[in-house]
Amino acid sequence: MQTIFRIGTRGSPLAMAQAHETRERLMAAHGVPAAAFEVIAMSTSGDRIQDRPLSEAGGKGLFTKEIEEALFAGRIDIAVHSSKDMPTRLPEGLELSAFLPREDARDAFVSNVAKTIADLPQGAKVGSSSLRRQALIRRMRPDLDVVMFRGNVQTRLRKLDEGVAAGTILAHAGLKRLGLDHLVTDLMPLDIFPPAPGQGAIGIETRIGDREAERMLAAIHHVPTGQALACERAFLAALDGSCRTPIAGYAAIEDEDLSFRGLIISPDGTQSHTVELQGPAGDAVRIGDEAARIVRAKAGETFFDSWL
């Protein structure tokens, strides 16, 4: 490589771990040293806004806006993201070009006082900033007091130690990437506590037409993860999914076959609709679109408007 390849990311410990994983995979794939890369950490609006839910502040794009501006301007060559933080509509001129092999997509329950959510005392506080997680917690335990929990993984763990809440839900993939897997109290089954679309997958964004970036990333792109994410993101996009909409979706790839299960749920956890579809992995986008049409027909058009 003649010039340094610049990798943009958020500055949180998890985001940095994901950027370093990307760098290491690129180093191994192309036989180049760490000195050929520069990891550039940036603060995003989503990191700075801590006093209210993202749904009130502007949605998922708050975690990507500044990074995407740097990418579009050419100050970085690629942007590394947690795929579940990515809006379904990207800025004109940018695209998701590669995905790394997906980690465990399940959510993890972490608590200092109980082994499972079922073991929590009546009325205990559980912290989460995710509308999906809040709704699923309320469906499991309507008696619990679900409180807003913003901040990076370390901040949320500190709040547990300070007694702000008796438990919280975090992505198992993030805890594993941070070497904090030992803190997991219980893993939530996919059928009972389905994940956010894209959870556990690292997505890499580029400028459309950047041939050098495409060449570099082609060597580390994981095709099955890309197919699964194409399905999940199509489901989310067709439902106009945002931080105001509790939506879950997970696609599994085995050989050339794809199995998808999607869920929409009311914020209070009392109403939900599911859909399950299978088909060829090459039809991932069509399956996601069809799943969204099915679940929307089940729920009715007013389901998505009732809590806005």
Side-chain angles (χ1 to χ4, degrees):
M1 296 177 62
Q2 298 296 316
T3 58
I4 290 178
F5 197 71
R6 298 160 300 175
I7 302 171
T9 182
R10 293 166 59 194
S12 72
L14 177 56
M16 292 297 287
Q18 293 178 161
H20 288 151
E21 179 179 340
T22 302
R23 181 186 65 182
E24 289 162 8
R25 288 180 180 273
L26 287 168
M27 288 166 55
H30 296 285
V32 293
F37 301 90
E38 181 182 4
V39 175
I40 300 173
M42 286 172 259
S43 174
T44 69
S45 303
D47 295 310
R48 294 189 293 272
I49 298 172
Q50 296 290 319
D51 60 343
R52 58 193 188 277
L54 287 180
S55 57
E56 297 176 7
K60 291 182 178 182
L62 293 174
F63 283 127
T64 61
K65 180 176 179 290
E66 288 85 354
I67 300 172
E68 288 175 328
E69 288 172 350
L71 179 61
F72 193 78
R75 297 194 299 273
I76 57 176
D77 298 298
I78 62 173
V80 176
H81 304 285
S82 293
S83 294
K84 70 181 180 64
D85 291 338
M86 295 296 292
T88 54
R89 296 176 184 173
L90 303 182
E92 186 175 353
L94 302 181
E95 63 181 349
L96 279 169
S97 298
F99 295 93
L100 302 188
R102 192 177 208 167
E103 250 294 358
D104 188 350
R106 288 176 294 178
D107 278 311
F109 176 61
V110 180
S111 173
N112 295 330
V113 301
K115 290 184 178 181
T116 68
I117 288 181
D119 295 329
L120 284 169
Q122 186 87 3
K125 285 183 168 60
V126 179
S128 177
S129 61
S130 159
L131 288 186
R132 174 189 60 87
R133 288 171 177 157
Q134 291 175 359
L136 291 171
I137 292 166
R138 290 176 176 129
R139 181 169 72 169
M140 292 179 69
R141 288 282 307 271
D143 63 289
L144 295 177
D145 182 10
V146 183
V147 298
M148 190 181 74
F149 236 37
R150 287 293 315 280
N152 61 35
V153 171
Q154 286 78 4
T155 298
R156 299 183 203 193
L157 293 173
R158 187 180 69 248
K159 288 180 179 180
L160 284 187
D161 291 336
E162 293 170 351
V164 176
T168 189
I169 303 288
L170 297 167
H172 189 212
L175 292 169
K176 291 182 74 173
R177 289 182 176 124
L178 289 168
L180 299 174
D181 196 35
H182 62 283
L183 297 179
V184 173
T185 312
D186 188 34
L187 286 173
M188 311 302 294
L190 290 171
D191 58 338
I192 295 174
F193 212 95
Q199 185 159 306
I202 297 172
I204 306 174
E205 191 177 19
T206 63
R207 292 181 293 275
I208 294 174
D210 187 336
R211 299 289 180 253
E212 176 61 12
E214 290 174 2
R215 181 188 71 82
M216 293 286 290
L217 294 174
I220 64 171
H221 173 59
H222 189 247
V223 173
T225 298
Q227 292 170 326
L229 268 288
C231 180
E232 294 169 23
R233 287 176 61 78
F235 178 72
L236 195 61
L239 293 172
D240 294 322
S242 71
C243 283
R244 299 185 67 86
T245 312
I247 296 174
Y250 179 70
I253 307 288
E254 186 171 347
D255 297 325
E256 296 299 318
D257 297 319
L258 182 150
S259 299
F260 175 77
R261 187 173 193 270
L263 166 83
I264 57 175
I265 185 169
S266 60
D268 63 4
T270 61
Q271 302 176 58
S272 63
H273 302 276
T274 61
V275 58
E276 295 187 45
L277 284 181
Q278 296 80 37
D283 290 344
V285 172
R286 179 192 62 77
I287 294 169
D289 284 336
E290 184 179 345
R293 288 195 298 271
I294 292 171
V295 81
R296 186 182 286 277
K298 284 184 178 182
E301 291 300 321
T302 60
F303 183 86
F304 290 90
D305 301 328
S306 59
W307 58 79
L308 298 180

